[in-house]
Structure formats: C-alpha cells, structure tokens
Amino acid sequence: MSDLIVILIPVFPLIAVLVNGLVGHRYSHDLAGRIALGSVGLSFLCALNVFVGVMSDPTPREVIAYSWIFGGDLNINLGFLIDPLTAIMLMVVTGVGFLIHVYSVGYMHGEEGFTRFFVYMNLFMVSMLLLVMGNNYLVLFIGWEGVGLCSYLLIGYYFTKVSASKAATKAFVVNRIGDAGFLLAIFLIFVNFKTLDYTKVFANAGQLSTEMATAIALCLLVGAIGKSAQLPLFTWLPDAMEGPTPVSALIHAATMVTAGVYMVVRNHALFDMAPFAMATVGLVGGITALFAATIGLVQNDIKRVLAYSTVSQLGYMFLACGVGAYTAAIFHLVTHAFFKALLFLTAGAVIHSLNGEQDIRKMGGLSKRIPITHAVFLIGTLAIAGIPPLAGFWSKDEIMAHAFLQGDFLGYVLYAFAAIGAFLTSFYMFRLMYLTFYGQSRVDPEVDHHIHESPPVMMVPLMVLAGLAIVGGFLGVPPEHGWFHGFLSTVATPLGAVPHEVSTGTLIGLMAVAITIALGGWGLAHYMYSVNTTLAEEWSERFAGAYRTVLNKYYVDEIYDAIIVEPCKRLGQIGDWVDQNIIDRFIRGIGHGADASGAGITWMEKHVIYGGLNVIGYANHVLAGSWRKMQSGLVNHYAAVIVIGLFLLVHLLFVWLVGTSVL
C-alpha cells in the first residue's frame, strides 16, 4: 500500500467529474457512463489494496497530500488517515457505490441529463471519500459539505418538477441547521486543542473538562442529527425520494446518511468523556428508531416506506453509539448498506417494470411476472426484518443485546424502543412485500403489458447485493468475538464497549427474543395481508384518527410550517414592507434631493459660473491681446524687459533687507 494509491482513491472520480463535466457534452452518453463507472471501479481497486494492507498492518497511518494552511497555531494538511475504520468505510463507499453506478447505467439510460447525472454521482463519491479519509476536521468538513451539495443536486435532478426542487431545497436548508452545530464543534476543538488533527485531538481528549467535552460532543451530535436524518431534523430524507432511485440507494441508504454515524464513531474519544452527550445520542437514536417505524406502517409509496425504514435503521446505529457499542454501530452500518441498497435498487426495478408506478396499492401479484426481482427483494426484506441467518439479524441483535446488558434504567428503555421498533420493522417490510408481490394484481391495465424483468446491467448488481445481504452478517459471528470486531479493535483508541461478561444462556435468550420479535412481525403481516385481507381496512376505519395522524407523519411538517416556516415568511414580509416603505423611500428621497440640487447647480452653472467665466474669458482675451502686442520678436525689446526686471528685483530685495534691519 503506497501513498500514491491512497491519494488516487478520490482522484479517479475527480478526474471523471472534470472530464465529463467539461467536455462530456461532446461525446455520447455511453462513453460518459463508461468514464464515470470506470473511475469508481478504479477507486474500488485502490481501496481494496488499502484494505488488504490494513489487514496485514492495522497501525494507523497518515498520508499527507500537501501542506494546505499554515501560520501561527493553525497548521492544516490535506491529508488522509488510514486505519481499520477508514478501510471499512472505503470498502462500503467504493464497493456499494460501484454496484450502484453499474445499475445506474441501465436505469438512467435514455435520460436527457445522463451525463449531468454521472457528474453529480462522481462528485458525490469524491466528497464522501474525503469525508471518510480525512485526517483532520477541516478535510472532514469539506467532504461533509460536499455530500450535502451533491445531495441537493441529485434530489433536484428533475429540476423542472416542482416537488423535486422543493425537496432539494428542503434537504439543503435542514442540513444547514446541523452544519451550524458541527462548525461550532470545530471552533471549540481548535480553541481547546490548538489543532484540528484527529490524532492530536484524541490523544489529548482526557485533558478536557466534562463540561467542555459535553459541549463539543453535543455540537457534533447536532451535525450528525442533520446529516443522518434523526429527530427532529429527519423530515428532509423522505422527501428526498423525489430524486432518481439510484440516488436514493447511494446517498440516502448506503453512504451519505451514515456520515453522521461515522462522525460520532470517529470522535468516540470525545463522546466517552461526556456521559450526558452519550445518553442523548442513545435517546435520540432509540426514539427515532421507534418513531420512524410507526410512520412506515401505513405509507403507500414503495420508496417512502424504505425511506422511513432508513431513518429508523439509522436510529439503531445512534442507539448503539449511545450505549458505547461503536463496533456494533459500524457493523450495522455495513450490513444496512448491503440490504438497504438492495431494497432501493429492487424497488427501482419494480418501478421500472411498471412504467414509473410507485404506489403499492396499484401493484400486487408481481412475484410470477418478475420472479428474479421478487427473489432479491425477499432476501432484502428478510435481512432488514432480522430473520436469521441473514445480515440484519446479527447486527441488529447485537445492538439490542448491548442496550439490554447496560443493566440500568436507560439501557432497558432503549432496549424496549429497539424491540418494539424491530417488531414494527418486520411488520411493515412484509406488508410491503405482500402488497407488492403477492395476492391479486391491482396493476393498471395499460401498464400490465409493460411488466418485465430489468436488463442484466441492473439485475447483476442486485444479485451481488443479495449475496452480501445473506453472508455479510457472518463477518460478526460470533457476536463480540467475530472477525469484524477483532479488526476494529486494532484502532489506536479501541472502538466499542468492553465485552460484557455474561453467560451463554443470557445471550441465547436475547437472541431467541430477537428472533421471536422478527417472526411475530412477519406473522402479523401475513395474517393481515394474505389471510384476512379486509382486516387492515377495518382497523384503519375503526382507528381513523390515529391512522390519519400516522399517514400524515404526525403532521410534523405542518407543525414546522406553522411555528418556523410561516413566521419566517411573515418576518420576511415585514422586511419587504420596511424595505419598500422606509429604506426605499429614504433612498428615493436622497435621489430626489440630488435631482433638486442638481437642478440648482445647473442653474448656477448656466447663469453664474458660465457668466463669470465669460467675463474672465473676455478679460483674458483683452489681456492676451496686450501680451501679444508685447511679443514683438525684437531682441533688444526682450533685453530691456530683462534689465528692468532685474532692477526691480534688486530694488525690492534691498528694501526688504533695510526693513528687516539686516543692513
């Protein structure tokens, strides 16, 4: 593993951005797609080389590209930190990212903005790689803002569509709230440590007071909440489904939204110094996991169900961080990347086969029409529901076990949140499965003839992700002692809580409870949507108020509009009134005064100045005539004038000297 290979990981997609962005309009879409895809593939190969190198030597290593800012106390390099955490994130970002790029070539085929789409996707890869590779907070922040910008561009890809433009703006604005907190954390870190380098900050984290560590950790948490769509800043993520489906898979399932989790884990040395901040992280995650799961129960848009599922699963990762189970959080991040990317891309294949239809009430009976798509979606559903032995079971069960084994009141509360959320997750995912693929077909007749399997360029990535969703969980088996945990334990400051000394029977019992919860959710969904198909409608009518509340997402957007958006608009209207009736009038008054004074000046210019100048001109004309008469051209006349002048000068000098008593 050489320094050059490390540097080339973000450089390859950056080159693709420049080439496609500057001259992509001059060649075909196929070539633009190959350039974009090839750049990510090369980054993946370099990341794989780095990963193998870290496996053989896990010692953290810094690679400095160049000295960026230096002077006084502030010295910042554009550098990369390579350690086991970075290596795992690189494999997720480049590996899953490459599969999604392959899928996108088929999904976006024929789109007018094909080249523009891949420019944005590659730019996102550059930003995300900077985020996970940076060795200091400033490089992290550049990547952080970069993925936010790319999210805005990709959500609003269909910029002529009003809903897409509004969703992009909403994502951008909400993330700015979180970014403000993140910036405050960076300022506090520099004030206290006089550096922004991770290694120096973490090595000296113990010198912080509990109060200052809490302040820094809470500010970091605000940034993480915004980026990872946790309560109360979660509302942008479901609306982000306005972007193309590959965008949902890459940015809003597998990579960008996990940036907040990565940031918390990377800064665990600071969070460990702040127990209150840790408890806050856990509560935010637990409440979000349960809250978002309830909303997912009744959504009818296939992508929105998955969007609220993403918010909920991110909550599990935050919950894990809150109880000190950082390794479990990253483990779930990895498995979630596999099965959630699979689910989103498969949803895209369903939408593609139904000519753009996303309402699950207009689906049904698709398992026989698109059997391969059905099979991979079933694998993703089993994984996220926590059915063993698929990936989601191992990572989610570990998080729940960590919460329970905390042994305190907060731990039990978080375990209850996680357990209920797991039941709801299993229920709404199998509800989605039954309504989409089983039962009677509800597909519109004009769409029915269009149903077909997606092309191989879209199906192959789905099969690879399905395989990862099946076997990925075994990286962490046995829990707390699997390869994954051993690999991350080699980080300079070890991740995760100390393994609990508990009996095997307790662990098996917790595992049995987790399996029972998952199977219980599946069983209820099967009964309601396969056996007694009228029950769901009966319950929605019986509990109409609760149903409407959950269907409308607890009216959170409406509440935000009422208490934040509309008051800000009214404040803006007041500002407009002040601008038009006070500031503009004042400026116009100055203008009118200037006009009046200008008119006066013009009158004076015409009647006074010009008159005076005419008089002066006439006098000058007369004087000039006199002077012209003196210019005779005779030397003796000039000599006489010189002599007279010298005489007068000497005379005046003599008078001055006598008057001053010098003589």
Side-chain angles (χ1 to χ4, degrees), residues 328-619:
I330 296 298
F331 185 31
H332 195 54
L333 184 155
V334 173
T335 60
H336 178 263
F338 297 155
F339 58 70
K340 186 52 65 67
L342 170 63
L343 288 168
F344 264 115
L345 295 184
T346 308
V350 172
I351 295 168
H352 181 77
S353 69
L354 295 178
N355 201 26
E357 181 60 65
Q358 296 184 199
D359 192 335
I360 58 177
R361 292 171 297 184
K362 297 181 180 180
M363 299 182 188
L366 296 178
S367 60
K368 297 178 181 179
R369 306 290 297 278
I370 43 175
I372 300 177
T373 303
H374 158 255
V376 293
F377 195 89
L378 176 60
I379 291 172
T381 300
L382 292 170
I384 192 174
I387 304 298
L390 280 79
F393 164 74
W394 301 105
S395 56
K396 192 184 298 184
D397 173 71
E398 185 175 337
I399 292 172
M400 294 170 61
H402 267 286
F404 183 84
L405 294 174
Q406 287 291 107
D408 55 15
F409 177 75
L410 178 61
Y412 293 137
V413 169
L414 294 178
Y415 176 79
F417 286 162
I420 298 171
F423 177 83
L424 297 179
T425 299
S426 179
F427 173 80
Y428 69 67
M429 284 306 304
F430 280 105
R431 167 184 178 265
L432 179 62
M433 188 79 198
Y434 281 108
L435 290 177
T436 302
F437 291 98
Y438 303 130
Q440 297 296 319
S441 175
R442 301 176 299 279
V443 178
D444 290 338
E446 60 270 20
V447 176
D448 187 75
H449 70 278
H450 188 272
I451 299 175
H452 63 282
E453 291 283 14
S454 298
V457 71
M458 295 172 61
M459 296 306 298
V460 170
L462 297 181
M463 296 176 185
V464 175
L465 288 168
L468 292 172
I470 294 172
V471 304
F474 292 103
L475 295 174
V477 177
E480 288 290 353
H481 301 288
W483 172 88
F484 192 90
H485 303 80
F487 183 61
L488 281 185
S489 68
T490 58
V491 177
T493 50
L495 297 176
V498 176
H500 299 280
E501 296 296 332
V502 294
S503 65
T504 303
T506 301
L507 292 176
I508 293 176
L510 289 172
M511 192 175 295
V513 171
I515 296 173
T516 302
I517 289 171
L519 293 176
W522 184 0
L524 180 59
H526 175 75
Y527 179 75
M528 292 182 64
Y529 296 99
S530 181
V531 179
N532 187 358
T533 55
T534 62
L535 185 60
E537 185 176 353
E538 291 173 3
W539 283 11
S540 66
E541 293 175 354
R542 180 180 301 177
F543 306 103
Y547 176 79
R548 283 195 303 270
T549 299
V550 178
L551 182 64
N552 288 283
K553 302 156 286 188
Y554 297 99
Y555 300 100
V556 173
D557 282 312
E558 289 77 5
I559 293 172
Y560 285 174
D561 285 342
I563 66 175
I564 299 175
V565 177
E566 292 304 323
C568 288
K569 286 182 178 179
R570 287 193 290 270
L571 185 62
Q573 291 170 354
I574 295 173
D576 288 342
W577 185 89
V578 172
D579 184 45
Q580 294 173 9
N581 295 279
I582 298 179
I583 298 176
D584 281 358
R585 286 187 177 183
F586 177 72
I587 298 299
R588 285 196 296 268
I590 294 175
H592 292 322
D595 289 342
S597 62
I601 291 172
T602 302
W603 184 89
M604 290 180 63
E605 190 178 63
K606 290 180 178 179
H607 297 86
V608 179
I609 298 177
Y610 283 176
L613 289 176
N614 288 334
V615 172
I616 294 172
Y618 178 75

Side-chain angles (χ1 to χ4, degrees), residues 628-649:
R628 280 197 301 270
K629 291 179 180 178
M630 293 179 63
Q631 306 302 319
S632 63
L634 300 175
V635 175
N636 55 339
H637 289 178
Y638 298 154
V641 171
I642 292 172
V643 171
I644 293 170
L646 287 173
F647 174 78
L648 292 173
L649 180 62

